[in-house]
Amino acid sequence: MTHPGEAGICARGLSVGYRSELQPVLSGFDLDVPVGHVTLLFGASGSGKTTLLSAFAGLLRPQAGTLTAWGHDMAGLRGSELLEYRRSVGIVFQSFHLIPSLSAWENVALPLRLAGWKPGAARLRAFEALDALGMAGHSRRRPGRMSGGQRQRVAIARAVGARPRLVLADEPTAHLDAASAADTVSLLAGLVSPGVAVVVATHDPRFAVTDSRVVHLGPDVGGPAGVSGGSDL
Ligand SMILES: Nc1ncnc2c1ncn2[C@@H]1O[C@H](COP(=O)(O)OP(=O)(O)O)[C@@H](O)[C@H]1O
Ligand SMILES: [Mg+2]
């Protein structure tokens, strides 16, 4: 059962980084990502936003401390369990990462097919997800013919295609003009529901206007500098 305020992701004393480096990027880091909210990761370039999102996505293993997702210890996930976890996460990138030779609906359907959905079901869900993002009229167009804002809508549709409970967006407005950025902000905020947590890494102050929790990543605390907002937490 989920309810607003429940920790979807919970980090305690977390250290995360890269094996090639002597020091972790973040260490001794505590954070709750509650279901039913947008959590914003603010921080300058190099402060560890992408690194932390990679850990949340199950792409980087914790080096110390604990990281749990919906009550499961992520350090213990292996093989098919890890794959299943990664499939429960939708990711939105700064530069969209759409496949140019595929139409919008094919881009949205592709990860569903790779996850084992039947062709008809994947197609139906792709059209439905695009429709929910106001892109029904563009389903058969290729991304190369779209504006940045439209591409990001397709990318968001792809991220939510499999109905993930965790949506991670890594600087999703960095390549957008002001109007499309504002649009993307409200679309991402609109993905929040009682069963879904949204995490947005950004240094875009426009995200702060949404009803969100804010986590600052910085040099002061060997990583994050503090958490504010979300008075119910
Ligand atoms: N693949 C990698 N291998 C080694 N170091 C990395 C790698 N990716 C990022 N880093 C380092 O980790 C730190 C945090 O980077 P990153 O998480 O990308 O920050 P942000 O997303 O906030 O800009 C930086 O010092 C960066 O150089
Ligand atoms: Mg980054």
Side-chain angles (χ1 to χ4, degrees), residues 8-9 33-41 53 56-57 70 85-93 125 133 152 155-172 184-185 187-193 195-201 207:
I9 299 272
V33 172
V35 173
H37 292 263
V38 178
T39 299
L40 301 179
L41 301 180
L53 290 184
F56 292 172
W70 279 262
Y85 174 75
R86 286 178 184 157
R87 284 185 177 148
S88 75
V89 180
I91 306 182
V92 178
F93 303 93
R125 175 64 188 136
L133 285 151
Q152 198 55 296
I156 295 170
R158 179 185 56 190
V160 300
R163 297 198 169 83
R165 55 190 175 174
L166 177 64
V167 178
L168 306 176
D170 196 357
E171 310 228 20
T184 297
V185 170
L187 289 171
L188 287 168
L191 298 179
V192 166
S193 75
V196 176
V198 176
V199 183
V200 182
F207 274 104

Side-chain angles (χ1 to χ4, degrees), residues 45-46 48-51 94 170-171 201:
S45 186
K49 302 183 296 297
T50 297
T51 302
Q94 163 176 328
D170 196 357
E171 310 228 20

Side-chain angles (χ1 to χ4, degrees), residues 18 20-21 25 44-51:
Y18 302 92
S20 59
E21 306 300 308
V25 175
S45 186
S47 61
K49 302 183 296 297
T50 297
T51 302

Side-chain angles (χ1 to χ4, degrees), residues 3-29:
H3 57 84
E6 178 188 351
I9 299 272
C10 178
R12 291 291 177 271
L14 177 70
S15 292
V16 62
Y18 302 92
R19 276 192 221 159
S20 59
E21 306 300 308
L22 288 175
Q23 298 290 331
V25 175
L26 299 169
S27 56
F29 178 50

